[in-house]
Amino acid sequence: MNRAIPHFAAGTTATNASIAGLAAVGLVFLVPSPQWRELASVTVPGVALLLVIALQLLHQHLTDYSTAQARAAAQVDSITGLPALPVAELVLSTEFAAAERGRELTIMLCRIDAFHRFRAAHGVEAAERLLALSGRVFNRRTRGMNLSARYDDNGTFVTILSGQTTRGARIFAERVQKDLMALEVADDPQSVSIGITTFEPHIGSPGELLRAVEKAVRDAEQIGATIVVQGETNSPSYSR
């Protein structure tokens, strides 16, 4: 879709409205019969006014459409195609409130190991390709009721698993980990570390939940390409 079209239309509609109104009034003086000219002097300006109002409404609609397009673009990470972090934070806040009322909630952080080393060795273009392919994996694996987003610039992704238990999150994590480790970019095999944390009543805020899962993914990195559930390390590494 050409996003320049709404901007162009919005910019010209007000001018068009003015021209149309003046043209309509001008038509009154072109009517040859005095009788019809008198009738036209009443009806044509009214029609012109309605036309101007319609064009102004169209102008407002196109302006709103353009604004909505810009906001939507700002909510998507340009490299991975996944929602941006602010979207994930908003969803997490909503899901955390639901979890406090009894709904299951598990979050997962997935980090491409040594992503900075990969970018230094192969360049920004290869690093962005790796992120883009990773984004496709998350987009394919994440169910509609859940959400995956880019978490930071270190090759980390967050997934909010609404209504999901730790067991279900582990199954999801294993599938994602296998897919990511199968990616081939710059002939450099990838390893992936994953942390999983499930909401518990003693966790007081979304931020506290995120800190817990950040610790889990750090533990996974130290062990070496594993899946770490908060408080336990019970998943083997995968090898290519």
Side-chain angles (χ1 to χ4, degrees):
M1 179 182 296
N2 187 349
R3 292 181 180 173
I5 293 175
H7 292 282
F8 173 78
T12 58
T13 303
T15 302
N16 290 341
S18 300
I19 293 172
L22 291 173
V25 174
L27 287 174
V28 172
F29 299 98
L30 298 178
V31 178
S33 167
Q35 242 181 344
W36 286 106
R37 187 180 301 167
E38 185 177 352
L39 178 62
S41 67
V42 176
T43 59
V44 172
V47 172
L49 177 62
L50 291 175
L51 178 61
V52 169
I53 292 172
L55 288 173
Q56 287 176 338
L57 289 174
L58 176 61
H59 172 240
Q60 185 60 50
H61 171 75
L62 291 173
T63 300
D64 292 344
Y65 173 83
S66 177
T67 302
Q69 287 282 76
R71 287 176 179 170
Q75 293 177 341
V76 176
D77 179 69
S78 60
I79 297 176
T80 65
L82 296 173
L85 183 57
V87 178
E89 290 174 336
L90 180 61
V91 171
L92 179 58
S93 178
T94 301
E95 292 299 330
F96 188 89
E100 290 182 311
R101 296 191 297 269
R103 182 183 177 89
E104 295 282 357
L105 173 63
T106 302
I107 60 173
M108 182 187 93
L109 278 188
C110 176
R111 182 167 294 158
I112 300 171
D113 294 327
F115 180 73
H116 285 302
R117 179 198 59 76
F118 179 92
R119 183 166 52 194
H122 302 291
V124 173
E125 186 175 343
E128 289 186 351
R129 175 165 171 73
L130 178 57
L131 290 173
L133 291 175
S134 300
R136 292 181 190 177
V137 168
F138 279 98
N139 187 55
R140 184 175 68 251
R141 287 292 186 185
T142 306
R143 296 169 58 188
M145 64 183 298
N146 301 321
L147 180 136
S148 291
R150 186 176 177 186
Y151 191 70
D152 60 23
D153 294 330
N154 301 320
T156 310
F157 299 84
V158 62
T159 299
I160 301 169
L161 298 161
S162 175
Q164 191 63 269
T165 63
T166 301
R167 181 176 180 277
R170 173 178 288 283
I171 294 171
F172 173 80
E174 289 171 350
R175 291 171 178 169
V176 167
Q177 188 183 51
K178 284 183 177 179
D179 287 351
L180 293 177
M181 293 179 72
L183 295 178
E184 296 182 3
V185 180
D187 295 322
D188 191 347
Q190 304 304 314
S191 63
V192 177
S193 299
I194 294 176
I196 295 173
T197 299
T198 298
F199 172 84
E200 296 178 4
H202 66 80
I203 298 177
S205 68
E208 189 176 339
L209 188 62
L210 284 174
R211 287 191 291 274
V213 78
E214 285 172 351
K215 180 182 185 306
V217 80
R218 287 195 301 270
D219 291 344
E221 286 180 298
Q222 292 175 0
I223 297 168
T226 65
I227 298 172
V228 170
V229 178
Q230 182 185 12
E232 33 181 337
T233 56
N234 49 3
S235 176
S237 302
Y238 289 98
S239 59
R240 294 170 62 91

